[in-house]
Amino acid sequence: MSLIDARNVIVRLGDAEVLTDIDFRIDRGEIVTIVGPNGSGKSTLLRVLIGAEAPHSGTVERERGLRIGYVPQRLAVDRTLPLTVGRFLRLSGGTAERRADMLARVGASGLGDRQLGALSGGQFQRVMLAQALLVGPDILVLDEPTQGLDQPGEAALYRLIEDVHAEIGCAVLMVSHDLHVVMSASDRVICLNGHICCEGTPTVVSEAPEYRALFGLGTEGALALYRHEHSHHHHHDHPHDAAHDHAHDHHGSDADRTGAA
Amino acid sequence: MFDDFLFRAAVAVTGLALAAGPMGCFVVWRRMAYFGDATAHAAILGVALSLALAMPIWLGVLVMALLMALFVSKLSGRTFAIDTMLGVAAHSALAFGLLAAALIGSVRLDLMAFLFGDVLAVSVKDLAVIWGGAALVLGLLAWRWRPLILATLNRDLATAHGIDPRREQLVLTLALAVLVAVAIKVVGALLITALLLIPAAAARALTRGPEAMAVVAVIVAALSGWLGLGLSLTADTPAGPSIVAAAAVLFSLAALVGTRLSRIAGPPMSERL
């Protein structure tokens, strides 16, 4: 049986149908990346899959006793709640030794005494990953884990996730709105825009017309690629960058990487 | 000892402080102040209900507070302006409670006691109710501490840990209603939220962890209670407001000390958090 098996899932928030006819499965050890534009229902899908949101119709089955290591998109630590990294990790259990090991494993040793709200973006994501790993997860669920990281930080975090995956063999389910780095490591990419537009290996998806339509590639692909490679190396300081829309931006850097790979 | 009204009053505020400290922390962390108000104001309606049905005051208060707490906790699941709805609920409950009390007639004389508390008049039986309720609240919070903290931090994270955030919300709702029922005699319906908020806020300035904050909140609440009683006795002021005034002074001190501490220990609070 799959770790999580969702069938014919429809999700409504208020009157709006945010997810339509979702069929989704993830098996042990798989790496699946969900991509899609803002507002495409990616986070909602994750929340439905972990059981935080009930579908309007359809079924979501999770394997019995499934251990989920969850890294939320952002965790707005309220200023009024004092919480050190060490205390936060204790909420996930494990021995003191294991917690220290885990912090070291994600490259966040020595942060134990810091307040959770005082961490930088990269430190925070590492601590969240340590927390998720402490659960001894069958599946790691990450909601845009690289949000707020710079490119080296992002690459480092993805490498870390890949290493962890290789080490403990957990499945990885990740939401991303930048396709580039994730794609190479994923077994499957799901392109979401309220419904599943297309799905398959990274190469298959990046060439699928649905994906190209969604990320604004179309027939201008080559041009976008060129322009982006250009702007990329100039740290987006060219005047014409201002005209780039978000989709272009992401697609461009994606094409960058795939081209280079 | 229990023959002395002052001793009974001190025992009452100490019992209340034990529960109000940790409960107040959750009120602060989860921004439940309005929620607390609505629940506490419903207590007046509960007083009227108790008198009309000739049952113990604490029971009527508990029932009304619980109904109101469940009602507003249902509301908070919706997306529309929650503070407005809570404000409507809180003030309506108070107004209807006062109307009901007035209609019942003879109670009018005692109304001040329920609005501002009458801790100097607690009986040994009241003490049993206060300590019983406080023990129940403390027990609930201690039992659900980890899931409550996780659900307060992030609902989805809690869900991933196999915790049902709605259930934890219900635990808090229940604890709050019990606390209101036992606190009305001590500080009165109008100032219950103050006794929850102020000690917890004072504790925040001095602590680095949730448990420490709860413990310090208990100490601040107890100190406020004793100081307030002292003030009430010497200056002949109403006890409830005196207790809350003492808490406010302690809060100011804690805020000052907290700023000093962070100056010595590192960058200001605002940057560290």
Side-chain angles (χ1 to χ4, degrees), chain A residues 47 78 87 91 113 118, chain B residues 31 146 156 208 211 272:
Chain A
R47 299 187 67 240
D78 199 293
R87 180 65 188 94
L91 292 170
D113 273 341
Chain B
R31 302 175 183 268
R146 176 184 162 270
D156 294 346
R208 287 173 51 78
E211 291 78 15
R272 276 199 296 149

Side-chain angles (χ1 to χ4, degrees), chain B residues 77-183:
Chain B
R78 313 276 174 81
T79 44
F80 56 86
I82 183 67
D83 341 356
T84 308
M85 286 311 296
L86 284 175
V88 169
H91 296 114
S92 312
L94 185 60
F96 280 108
L98 292 172
L99 281 184
L103 286 174
I104 290 170
S106 65
V107 198
R108 244 188 289 188
L109 290 176
D110 286 321
L111 208 49
M112 284 299 276
F114 294 113
L115 286 174
F116 294 108
D118 194 7
V119 69
L120 295 174
V122 292
S123 63
V124 173
K125 219 160 90 186
D126 290 333
L127 281 186
V129 170
I130 290 170
W131 275 80
L136 185 61
V137 170
L138 261 187
L140 267 175
L141 295 183
W143 170 48
R144 307 301 303 165
W145 189 258
R146 176 184 162 270
L148 277 172
I149 298 274
L150 268 168
T152 299
L153 259 182
N154 184 287
R155 293 173 65 93
D156 294 346
L157 187 62
T159 306
H161 277 272
I163 294 160
D164 181 354
R166 281 165 311 178
R167 185 184 138 142
E168 304 312 322
Q169 166 85 39
L170 193 65
V171 168
L172 281 181
T173 303
L174 192 70
L176 185 65
V178 173
L179 192 116
V180 164
V182 302

